[in-house]
């Protein structure tokens, strides 16, 4: 707790370009949370280097992501928006928690197996202990709740286990976090393989709509979206491509799937795809304009980076000093 508010932590990696799925499924829903929670939103650039990165490109993407957070409507005065790498407590706490995490627990992490298969030439220790750094991210701010998808639930369970193990030995040091169950954002699937989630790492450029795609690119991707030969706009699992387009249109317009089906009753896929593209453009254009405006104000973004790093460090050090004392590290002379 900070004041009378519970703490919420979340973050995104500064790799790839955020998609429409990231925006409608997560980022858009973060905006209202600052009224209820003390929110820490991190650009988790330390996690990004488990896979080899171009340094200049990583710096560029990290700043672009932080700017997108703000452009999307996250108020940097209400929310702590910061770079993970600017708070050394993440790495310091991760080392301590490594010593309270068992090899068997890490061996069970399915994401390590998946990423190892994708990056067989670079199966590094960081990739293996990635979930411990994630635990440190969360526990450092005494987070009460963490918004997580199904793919991250295993990591949150490990975080809870490590926190409880540490607390059992040293007393009530860490808040044991819960999964945040709130308004569920739209689950947006790939435009080319609607059985898969839309992903910023998809190798097919037509599968994902990126937040900074030009309007003509968005229209082209929507027109190329996979549908079927049934020629009916119905919201059912037997038509996953059409169902996905209805979800996208619904999320962009605020209409229910049933309302969308009625609106396009008797019309063809061509008309529908154009309408979906136009709805996406109307949602993303204000966001893109705000990103462009913020990019022109370097001093403003630099100020946010500095102020929020100081705020994050303040809360991180409160936890870190307590943990260091508990495990027996000598007190620092100030």
């Amino acid at each position: 707790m900070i004041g009378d508010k519970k703490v919420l932590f979340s973050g995104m990696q500064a790799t790839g370009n955020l998609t429409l799925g990231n925006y409608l499924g997560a980022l858009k829903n973060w905006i209202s949370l600052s009224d209820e929670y003390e929110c820490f939103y991190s650009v988790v650039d330390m996690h990004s280097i488990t896979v080899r990165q171009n340094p200049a490109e990583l710096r560029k993407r990290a700043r672009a992501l932080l700017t997108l957070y703000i452009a999307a409507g996250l108020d940097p005065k209400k929310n702590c928006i910061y770079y993970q790498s600017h708070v050394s407590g993440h790495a310091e706490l991760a080392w301590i928690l490594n010593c309270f995490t068992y090899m068997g627990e890490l061996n069970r992490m399915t994401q390590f197996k998946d990423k190892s298969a994708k990056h067989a030439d670079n199966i590094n220790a960081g990739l293996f202990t990635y979930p411990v750094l994630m635990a440190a991210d969360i526990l450092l701010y005494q987070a009460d709740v963490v918004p997580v998808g199904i793919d991250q639930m295993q990591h949150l369970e490990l975080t809870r286990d490590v926190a409880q193990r540490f607390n059992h030995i040293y007393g009530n040091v860490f808040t044991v976090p819960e999964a945040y169950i709130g308004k569920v954002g739209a689950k947006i699937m790939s435009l080319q393989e609607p059985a898969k989630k839309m992903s910023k790492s998809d190798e097919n450029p037509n599968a994902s709509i990126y937040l900074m795609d030009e309007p003509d690119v968005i229209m082209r991707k929507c027109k190329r979206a996979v549908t079927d030969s049934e020629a009916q706009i119905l919201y059912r699992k037997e038509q996953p491509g059409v169902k996905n387009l209805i979800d996208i249109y619904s999320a962009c317009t605020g209409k229910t799937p049933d309302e969308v089906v009625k609106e396009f009753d008797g019309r063809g896929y061509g008309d529908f795809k154009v309408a979906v593209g136009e709805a996406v453009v109307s949602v993303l254009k204000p966001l893109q304009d705000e990103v462009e405006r913020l990019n022109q104000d370097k001093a403003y973004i630099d100020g946010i980076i500095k102020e929020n790093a100081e705020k994050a460090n303040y809360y991180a050090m409160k936890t870190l000093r307590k943990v260091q004392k508990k495990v027996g590290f000598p007190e620092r002379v100030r």
Side-chain angles (χ1 to χ4, degrees):
M1 298 279 288
I2 295 179
D4 59 351
K5 285 185 178 181
K6 288 186 173 182
V7 177
L8 180 146
F9 175 89
S10 192
M12 292 185 185
Q13 282 204 46
T15 52
N17 296 307
L18 289 194
T19 70
L20 181 68
N22 296 130
Y23 178 67
L24 296 176
L27 193 51
K28 186 180 176 186
N29 296 316
W30 287 359
I31 296 161
S32 62
L33 295 176
S34 59
D35 293 331
E36 186 178 352
Y37 296 98
E38 187 72 35
C39 299
F40 290 82
Y41 293 120
S42 183
V43 174
V44 289
D45 47 351
M46 290 169 67
H47 284 293
S48 300
I49 65 168
T50 57
V51 176
R52 293 285 175 266
Q53 303 292 334
N54 176 300
E57 191 66 24
L58 180 59
R59 278 189 287 272
K60 181 180 173 184
R61 287 189 187 280
R63 189 178 180 95
L65 178 54
L66 186 138
T67 303
L68 260 174
Y69 280 174
I70 300 163
L74 291 177
D75 185 343
K77 296 293 184 187
K78 286 185 175 181
N79 304 280
C80 188
I81 302 168
Y82 72 100
Y83 294 136
Q84 181 189 28
S85 61
H86 284 194
V87 181
S88 63
H90 286 266
E92 292 188 72
L93 182 58
W95 171 251
I96 295 172
L97 296 183
N98 266 317
C99 301
F100 291 85
T101 306
Y102 301 133
M103 294 287 286
E105 291 173 318
L106 294 176
N107 275 325
R108 289 194 292 272
M109 297 291 116
T110 55
Q111 280 208 348
F112 172 69
K113 296 169 187 173
D114 294 343
K115 289 195 174 186
S116 295
K118 288 181 183 176
H119 305 281
D121 61 336
N122 182 27
I123 304 174
N124 57 73
L127 199 61
F128 187 65
T129 61
Y130 172 103
V132 184
L133 177 56
M134 186 178 286
D137 299 338
I138 296 164
L139 300 178
L140 196 59
Y141 301 100
Q142 303 290 353
D144 296 279
V145 291
V146 184
V148 287
I150 298 293
D151 57 338
Q152 298 290 351
M153 189 60 78
Q154 193 182 33
H155 290 166
L156 183 61
E157 285 303 319
L158 177 69
T159 300
R160 289 172 51 82
D161 289 344
V162 172
Q164 288 168 336
R165 184 174 301 141
F166 194 94
N167 286 352
H168 180 72
I169 298 168
Y170 296 109
N172 190 23
V173 178
F174 292 123
T175 299
V176 179
E178 303 283 347
Y180 170 75
I181 308 298
K183 182 182 176 184
V184 178
K187 188 176 182 182
I188 306 302
M189 312 305 281
S190 162
L191 296 180
Q192 294 300 310
E193 296 180 75
K196 289 170 36 181
K197 266 176 65 175
M198 185 177 285
S199 170
K200 60 182 181 176
S201 60
D202 201 308
E203 293 179 2
N204 185 342
N206 291 312
S208 301
I209 294 172
Y210 301 109
L211 296 189
M212 299 308 292
D213 275 348
E214 295 284 342
D216 61 328
V217 173
I218 293 170
M219 295 302 296
R220 186 169 68 248
K221 288 181 177 181
C222 287
K223 287 176 182 177
R224 291 177 178 173
V226 167
T227 48
D228 51 54
S229 59
E230 295 194 33
Q232 294 185 87
I233 299 169
L234 297 173
Y235 192 71
R236 55 183 191 154
K237 63 182 180 182
E238 291 82 5
Q239 293 178 268
V242 175
K243 182 176 181 291
N244 186 41
L245 290 175
I246 291 173
D247 280 331
I248 293 171
Y249 189 78
S250 177
C252 290
T253 61
K255 297 177 181 178
T256 67
D258 285 345
E259 288 170 337
V260 178
V261 169
K262 286 178 185 175
E263 181 181 346
F264 291 93
D265 183 35
R267 294 168 67 180
Y269 288 162
D271 282 354
F272 181 47
K273 288 179 179 181
V274 168
V276 172
E278 288 173 346
V280 173
V281 169
S282 70
V283 165
L284 294 188
K285 187 67 169 66
L287 174 69
Q288 293 171 351
D289 289 345
E290 182 63 4
V291 167
E292 186 61 31
R293 187 189 71 79
L294 290 170
N295 284 340
Q296 302 303 315
D297 197 344
K298 183 177 182 296
Y300 173 70
I301 297 296
D302 286 348
I304 287 169
I305 291 169
K306 183 176 184 295
E307 288 169 23
N308 281 355
E310 289 171 353
K311 179 179 177 180
N313 268 297
Y314 170 77
Y315 287 107
M317 287 309 298
K318 285 179 73 171
T319 297
L320 189 60
R321 286 195 192 102
K322 184 189 294 185
V323 171
Q324 289 169 334
K325 184 177 181 181
K326 290 290 186 181
V327 299
F329 291 173
E331 190 173 341
R332 299 185 190 191
V333 178
R334 292 177 179 79

